[in-house]
Structures are given as structure tokens and as C-alpha cells.
Amino acid sequence: MRSRLTPALAVTGLLIAGCSSMPAHDSARESPQPASHATLAWSACPDGVENPDAGPPRLRCATVPVPLDYRDPDGQQLDLTISRLASTKPEARRGSLMLNPGGPGGSGLDQPIFLAQRGIPQELQDSYDLIGIDTRGIGHSSPISCGFTSDVAYYGAVPPYAYDERAFEEQSATAHTVAERCAANDDGRMRHVTTANMARDLDRIRAALGEEKGNYLGYSYGTALGAAYASMFPDATDRIVLDSNIGDTHLDRDGMRRYALGMEETFPDFANWVAARDARYGLGNTPAAVRESYFRIAGKLDRDPVDGVDGRAFRLGTFVSLYNPASYGATADSWRTMRDREPNDAPSAITQAARQMDNNWSVFLAVTCNDVKWPTDPDTYRRAVEADRQKYPLFGAAAANIMPCAFWQIDQTEPPVAVDDEGPTNVLVVQHQRDPVTPHHNGVQIDDAFGGRSTLLSVDGSGHGVYGLGKNPCAQDVITDYLVDGTMPEHDRTCPA
């Protein structure tokens, strides 16, 4: 899922995490490409990258050829589309900063403009050309498709809440259908849409930009890609910031299940906010009462959907709304609507999104299912659903539910990338203490894996995404100081609220 998500009920590839269930490489290192002296052909970006109503275009775009299969570097090539928001102060410019918004499956061409609009410091924009990227398979970079249509009630990157055995069996059948559809629509490219190959692509982009070393800022799934990049090409990387971490270089079942932990840790911030405004929303005047309203409304919608929203979509929408405290008011309003409105037969809010999200969901599945092998026995997921429904009642029976990866039919090309703890101390790990999808545990986990190469910046705050997306001045300053001046905190640090 992208780090900029709004509380929509139908969501794209979100953010992910994990620990491998199969051995990783002993060494992830590969030889970097020499910096190119050729000039990229920058031109107007594709329609839709920038809003024409916002004024003259500020971005320029170019394409970078990369091998489809790095084992055959001179074979079939893919054209990756990248964007650039150029520094306007040559005397201050120190290089290029490659960006990733998350996913896997999030288009990144507009990310330089998005971050500039969110108010990232001008000194950062002066110091770098900001580079947006559509990673392989997404958007304008040789897009892939599983062929999603509205006939499949698929929930994208997060499986639906299995409120009973029938709901689990329904999701199992859907997951199987989706896996078959992905295999049927594969033209041979899908197996090569992996985090390892995307990290190799970053090194090619770095070289094409003429940079001796690469700088990188990644959010959510972008932290997995950044961790892989820093591990595979440690000596060709300069300043790396991993913001809102999934905990490794890939997503696996344990990482997905930690979504439920993140929601339990973050929900009290929302509940406190709503309880303090009980006169307006009437959802409870204590956090406990607000929590009870959540279960009561979800149970009602499990039985009788309202406006196309059933209990599964309601839980998913609430989960996503916790990404950004600015969404709390709209979420509380929607709760009131779901509580008070009579059941009706409106079309499902989930199935309406399928065709629109086809490319995003296809990339999410390709990367997630290709990176690491998932359990194939449905009973493994059934037992996890029952356990996590009790342990994490807000969202456990969703995060533990079965995925199409259980039925994946596309051969895996290589094991997941191993985190390399030997190399430059150049990785700044940034993590809110309360994050619904990437809990603080994940930041600690990846920081431990990098050992002396990384420093952990914990932020006493709530939501998904810190730099430019959060409101903590201390955190913004620490990250800017590192990216602009190279000042890494001497020790792990916590920024107070």
C-alpha cells in the first residue's frame, strides 16, 4: 500500500513485512553498474502524472532500459519510466534522491511533487534532484495484469476479515481463483517482478543518472526495497532512509499477521480522539465505549450490508483510516452512517474497485508471492485466523486470512534477499511508535538485522509515514539533517510527541 493512502474501502497494494520461510542467500552483494556518461532523454511526463489544474508541469520524465531477467542481461529489456523534480540551485545540489512510495504496486512518478506539496524542506529540494519511479510491472513501466474484473470480490493487499468458517472458505476459493487467473494471464514477465530485481533496477537507474552512489528514501514496502538495495549494493549506496518499515526485504505470512498488532497499538489514538468528541459523533465517551461501537457496527454489517459496505469492508476501511490522523473525522462520520442507515442492496464497494486496481493488485501479488514461498495448506491459515481473532480481535481474522500466495502457480526465480550487516553505516530506520500496518516492532527488527550499519529513529506519534507525512518537527529535522548534511544520530533516538 502506498504511504499516502486515504481511508477508501477498496485499497491498492498497501505495505508489507516479514521473515523468510526459506533460506536466503549467504551474501546478497552484487557488482554495481558503472555510472553512465550518457545523458538521459528527459521529456514531458505521461498524461495524468501531474494535475494540469495545478499550473505548469514541474516534472520531466525519461526511460531507463533494464533486463527482464538479470541472468540474461543482454536478453529482453524493459523500459522503466522515471520522473525528475530537478534542484534549481546547482551550487547546493549533491546528487539524486530516488524515491519509492510503497506497495508493492504503487506508482511513484508523481511522488516528487507529492512530497513537495506536503512540505518537505526546501533545503532537501535544493540538495537533490528528486527521482520518482514506476518500478517494473507498474504504471508506465511495462505493466502486468492478472486480469481482475468485478466478478471476483477480491480485497487487494489485505485479505477480508473471516468472521466465521463460511467467510474463510469463501476467501480460500477467491484466493485460488485469483492465483489461477494470474497464472493464466502471465506472458512470462510476472516471475521476474521481484524485490531483488527492483533493487537491481535501482542500481541501473543510479548509473543512468550518472551518479557514483545512490541515495534513497522509501516508505512502507519501499523500506523492503531499500533494505534489499542497501544489502545488494552496499558500496554503491550513500544515504538511505527507510520510513515505516515492514521489517525485512520482503513480505511473508508473519509480516502480514503483524498488521493486526499494528491496528491494536494504533486504534487507541483514534478511540481517544472520538471519545473526546462524543457530543458530535455519539460513538462513546470513553475509548472502551468507542471500541465497543466498532464491534457492534461491524457485527451489524456482517449480517446486513449498508450502501455496499459489509463488515469486512468496514473493518478494512477503519484499518486504512488509521494511516493518517487527519482521517479520523471522516471515519467517525462514516461510522455514524453505517450505524444509523437501514440495510440496502447497493453494489459491493469492493467488487466495484477490481478493474480499476488490476495493475496495482497484480504487482502486489507478483512481488509478494514471488519473493518468498508461502504455506500451501489452507488449514495453516484457518488455525491462524482462529488464534488471531482471539489475540487481536480488531483485525486479526483479516491479517491472518488466506492469500493467493497459498495457491501461487508461478515458479520462484530466487530466494529472498538477505540483509547485509557488513558495509557503510548509512541506513536511517524511521518508525512511528504507533503505526497500524508497520508496527514499531518492524523498525526494531530491521535495525537489529542491519546491526552497526543502521540507526533507529523512533517517533512518539501515530500513523503511517513520518517524513513529510507526519507532524513531528524533531523527526523532520533529524531526517533532513541526515539527507542534506550526512549527520546521522550517534545513537538510536526517540523524538517525543
Side-chain angles (χ1 to χ4, degrees), residues 380-394:
T380 300
Y381 300 88
R382 181 182 283 107
R383 289 191 297 268
V385 164
E386 293 300 324
D388 287 7
R389 182 187 289 117
Q390 302 300 318
K391 187 175 183 180
Y392 304 118
L394 289 171

Side-chain angles (χ1 to χ4, degrees), residues 30 32 83 99 109 147 204-205 237 261 275 311 343 371 391 401 467:
E30 299 189 8
S83 65
L99 308 171
L109 292 185
R204 292 283 178 130
I205 292 169
T237 59
L261 169 63
D371 274 359
K391 187 175 183 180
N401 207 353
Y467 192 54

Side-chain angles (χ1 to χ4, degrees), residues 158-164 168 171 253-265 267 291 294-295 312 315-316 319 380-403 436:
V158 184
Y161 191 93
Y163 52 83
D164 61 13
F168 175 82
Q171 168 61 10
R253 177 169 160 264
D254 288 341
M256 177 70 76
R257 290 175 74 178
R258 285 197 294 273
Y259 291 5
L261 169 63
M263 186 165 181
E264 292 286 349
E265 291 179 342
F267 186 84
R291 185 180 175 95
Y294 171 85
F295 293 119
R312 294 169 291 188
R315 293 178 178 93
L316 178 58
F319 169 72
T380 300
Y381 300 88
R382 181 182 283 107
R383 289 191 297 268
V385 164
E386 293 300 324
D388 287 7
R389 182 187 289 117
Q390 302 300 318
K391 187 175 183 180
Y392 304 118
L394 289 171
F395 207 57
N401 207 353
I402 194 166
M403 298 272 292

Side-chain angles (χ1 to χ4, degrees), residues 255-427:
M256 177 70 76
R257 290 175 74 178
R258 285 197 294 273
Y259 291 5
L261 169 63
M263 186 165 181
E264 292 286 349
E265 291 179 342
T266 308
F267 186 84
D269 286 359
F270 170 73
N272 276 298
W273 188 93
V274 173
R277 294 160 179 80
D278 185 53
R280 175 176 178 180
Y281 297 111
L283 294 167
N285 60 7
T286 67
V290 174
R291 185 180 175 95
E292 183 56 35
S293 290
Y294 171 85
F295 293 119
R296 187 164 54 252
I297 296 169
K300 170 191 173 181
L301 297 173
D302 286 338
R303 299 183 297 273
D304 298 300
V306 173
D307 296 341
V309 178
D310 62 10
R312 294 169 291 188
F314 170 77
R315 293 178 178 93
L316 178 58
T318 300
F319 169 72
V320 175
S321 74
L322 300 180
Y323 279 40
N324 186 352
S327 301
Y328 288 177
T331 302
D333 282 332
S334 72
W335 278 30
R336 287 195 308 177
T337 299
M338 297 300 105
R339 180 194 64 189
D340 298 338
R341 190 163 294 176
E342 292 297 317
N344 55 56
D345 296 325
S348 167
I350 294 296
T351 57
Q352 292 181 74
R355 193 182 303 273
Q356 177 185 357
M357 302 309 302
D358 173 57
N359 182 218
N360 307 84
W361 290 349
S362 299
V363 172
F364 167 79
L365 285 174
V367 175
T368 303
C369 304
N370 288 340
D371 274 359
V372 62
K373 290 188 177 298
W374 287 60
T376 58
D377 182 0
D379 282 341
T380 300
Y381 300 88
R382 181 182 283 107
R383 289 191 297 268
V385 164
E386 293 300 324
D388 287 7
R389 182 187 289 117
Q390 302 300 318
K391 187 175 183 180
Y392 304 118
L394 289 171
F395 207 57
N401 207 353
I402 194 166
M403 298 272 292
C405 296
F407 306 103
W408 201 240
Q409 300 175 20
I410 297 170
D411 292 336
Q412 191 177 26
T413 60
E414 59 184 316
V417 177
V419 175
D420 191 338
D421 62 0
E422 296 184 2
T425 303
N426 66 342
V427 180

Side-chain angles (χ1 to χ4, degrees), residues 2-7 58 85 99 101 110-122 124-125 130 217 219 243 323-327 432 462-472 476 480:
R2 300 162 66 93
S3 56
R4 68 188 71 176
L5 282 177
T6 56
R58 299 176 61 191
L85 180 62
L99 308 171
D110 65 339
Q111 195 179 16
I113 291 295
F114 172 77
L115 290 176
Q117 292 172 339
R118 290 300 299 260
I120 57 170
Q122 186 61 47
L124 182 80
Q125 300 180 57
L130 302 183
L217 167 61
Y219 297 84
D243 187 329
Y323 279 40
N324 186 352
S327 301
H432 271 139
S462 184
H464 189 57
V466 176
Y467 192 54
L469 306 180
K471 302 293 185 182
N472 189 289
Q476 309 309 311
T480 300

